[in-house]
Amino acid sequence: MRWITYFILAYLTLGLQVGLAPYLRYQGASPNLVLLAVIFIAINAPRDAALLGAFALGVLQDLLTQQPPGLFALSYGLVGMFVVSTQQIVYREHPLTHVSLALIGGLMTTCVILLHGWIHPPAPRLMDLNVAAARISPGVEFTRVLYTAVLAPFVLGALQRVKRAFAFQPARRKIRAWG
């Protein structure tokens, strides 16, 4: 995998996520474009590069959000592990694959975020300042998952057309010696 191309994708995706989020909101939920980039990297790259790329995208998103550090890194690492484990059994260019992986990945990310919010609720001083920013609504999070899944075939389909720029190499298979 070409890492320069990966960092350009990460820069563009994070920039679009931050810049377009207020304009793409539907009932308070904006699509998770970074999750779609994680799925694209994890479905095409070899295992180690895919896991490193998914985790790095999570760390970069953690730097841009108000969530605690490591929350998106953990959730995108889990999504990356799931998608890498399905590489051999899914058809990478099919829109149904894109939708299903975005749904499952979005639900995994939402579960991590909601579990963190329930285990470690916001501090009382934060709730006095801005209650809407301090609490995470499950309804908004599930709307975000559905919104991201609807956009997945379009975004991942466009990324699949330019995957040559990333120079993904197929995973090497282990050859067993019989003897």
Side-chain angles (χ1 to χ4, degrees), residues 77-130:
L78 292 173
V79 170
M81 287 184 354
F82 172 75
V83 174
V84 164
S85 70
T86 64
Q87 275 184 349
Q88 300 296 322
I89 56 175
V90 298
Y91 181 53
R92 297 174 186 181
E93 285 84 20
H94 200 278
L96 188 58
T97 300
H98 300 159
V99 170
S100 61
L101 289 177
L103 271 174
I104 294 170
L107 288 173
M108 290 172 73
T109 302
T110 296
C111 286
V112 169
I113 291 171
L114 290 176
L115 279 174
H116 177 267
W118 289 330
I119 292 171
H120 184 48
R125 61 184 167 86
L126 288 177
M127 291 188 343
D128 293 338
L129 295 174
N130 191 356

